[in-house]
Amino acid sequence: MRLLTFRTADGARLGVLRGDEVVELADPPDMLSLIDSGEEGLELVRSSLSRGKGKVHLLAEVRVQAPLPNPRGNVVAIGRNYQAHAEESARAAGKVVDPPTVFSKAITSVAGPHDDIRIDASVTSQVDWEVELGVVVGRSGINIKRERSLDHVFGYVAVNDVSARDVQFGWGGQYFKGKSLDGFCPIGPWIVTRDEIPDPQALRLLLRVNGETKQDGNTRDMIYPVDLVIEWVSKGMTLLAGSIIATGTPDGVGFARTPPEFLKPGDVMEAEVTGIGVLRNRIVAAPN
């Protein structure tokens, strides 16, 4: 299933995508509640759909929001999880290749798949893109074993790990701050449940700016695949149901290009994960 959060004149609602239609769910009230209900909740949703229950909306007539607008805790993110990206980052910094790392993005950075991203020129002038596969955790756990880690997955989303590089690298090595400006984590456009993506290591990732392809990679090139990421991140640290993991980006980011490229107001980013969908976000200047 493709599960989404959308807004109508009556407010935010939970729904299931069906072709070019959205079937509104009367219960549960939001995505976190559905995640907490586990497989039993998903079966109730499937049963409701099979019985033809639920108000139907045209997808074009609703505003699609972040499918999980209030994840439990900061977005857990993996840096340098694709070898070519790790190498391009090292070249740009004039240093040796570092191994993958774990950081986080503030919950306040989460944005919808079609939201504008505001750039405050007094804060940053080096805004960059990073398309990623996002994992939505469905079952809490600590010290999760790799062979059972995918059992903890609720579903998958596309993520754009928008980054203020001058803050990230120039404020004393502030990954968290440089990755956490408001709106710098568009996700969506919906959650594709785990059963519809049997192999998360076979997904193409694309990032376009104004229609020009900047990143073109595949999750098979991850250094740590999804199951190992979950094992690694959960060592000694509880992963909560309803949290999100961004699993890293392929090469082609702006700061590592020659010359470096950064986003400016008027630019449009399209971050795509095949089998999931496209995030389309326009860059705008923050009001004075």
Side-chain angles (χ1 to χ4, degrees):
M1 289 186 292
R2 284 164 166 73
L3 302 163
L4 66 155
T5 300
F6 65 99
R7 181 170 291 276
T8 68
D10 298 323
R13 296 289 187 269
L14 185 64
V16 179
L17 185 66
R18 188 178 63 189
D20 59 358
E21 298 178 332
V22 177
V23 180
E24 182 177 328
L25 299 176
D27 187 64
D30 55 45
M31 195 70 74
L32 270 180
S33 299
L34 179 56
I35 292 170
D36 287 342
S37 68
E39 187 57 37
E40 181 180 348
L42 289 174
E43 281 303 319
L44 289 174
V45 170
R46 294 185 185 102
S47 176
S48 178
L49 292 174
S50 67
R51 297 197 308 270
K53 290 190 173 183
K55 185 177 180 180
V56 177
H57 307 265
L58 289 176
L59 177 61
E61 295 179 356
V62 301
R63 180 169 180 79
V64 180
Q65 299 186 301
L68 188 54
N70 53 340
R72 284 201 174 95
N74 292 344
V75 175
V76 177
I78 310 300
R80 301 185 299 270
N81 196 26
Y82 289 73
Q83 187 64 31
H85 172 56
E87 291 171 356
E88 71 174 356
S89 298
R91 284 195 301 271
K95 55 188 289 189
V96 299
V97 177
D98 289 322
T101 189
V102 181
F103 60 94
S104 70
K105 294 173 72 77
I107 189 173
T108 47
S109 69
V110 172
H114 307 129
D115 289 351
D116 289 345
I117 296 176
R118 298 181 182 276
I119 294 180
D120 185 339
S122 69
V123 176
T124 178
S125 61
Q126 296 184 0
V127 178
D128 203 348
W129 55 82
E130 292 191 12
V131 61
E132 310 198 9
L133 172 66
V135 177
V136 179
V137 179
R139 285 173 45 203
S140 298
I142 185 171
N143 297 324
I144 300 166
K145 298 301 182 185
R146 182 178 185 180
E147 58 268 21
R148 302 295 301 173
S149 61
L150 294 185
D151 294 340
H152 289 258
V153 174
F154 179 79
Y156 300 94
V157 293
V159 174
N160 191 345
D161 177 17
V162 184
S163 306
R165 300 299 188 189
D166 41 0
V167 178
Q168 178 184 352
F169 300 131
W171 288 24
Q174 297 287 346
Y175 260 71
F176 176 68
K177 181 70 173 180
K179 300 279 191 170
S180 292
L181 302 185
D182 285 358
F184 273 36
C185 190
I187 65 171
W190 27 72
I191 297 173
V192 180
T193 51
R194 183 185 67 198
D195 58 298
E196 297 214 2
I197 300 182
D199 184 3
Q201 305 311 141
L203 303 174
R204 189 180 182 190
L205 306 175
L206 294 158
L207 190 291
R208 296 177 290 273
V209 177
N210 302 327
E212 181 181 347
T213 298
K214 302 294 186 180
Q215 291 181 280
D216 186 351
N218 195 290
T219 55
R220 66 171 172 261
D221 297 324
M222 286 181 182
I223 298 171
Y224 292 171
V226 170
D227 57 358
L228 188 54
V229 163
I230 294 170
E231 179 184 67
W232 182 39
V233 170
S234 70
K235 287 182 182 295
M237 184 181 85
T238 299
L239 280 178
L240 296 174
S243 61
I244 298 171
I245 304 170
T247 57
T249 196
D251 59 311
V253 297
F255 87 93
R257 291 174 171 266
T258 305
E261 299 177 17
F262 299 109
L263 296 160
K264 62 186 184 303
D267 288 341
V268 176
M269 289 185 295
E270 293 175 298
E272 179 177 0
V273 180
T274 56
I276 297 177
V278 180
L279 314 175
R280 188 178 190 275
N281 302 96
R282 183 169 59 105
I283 301 296
V284 300
N288 296 327

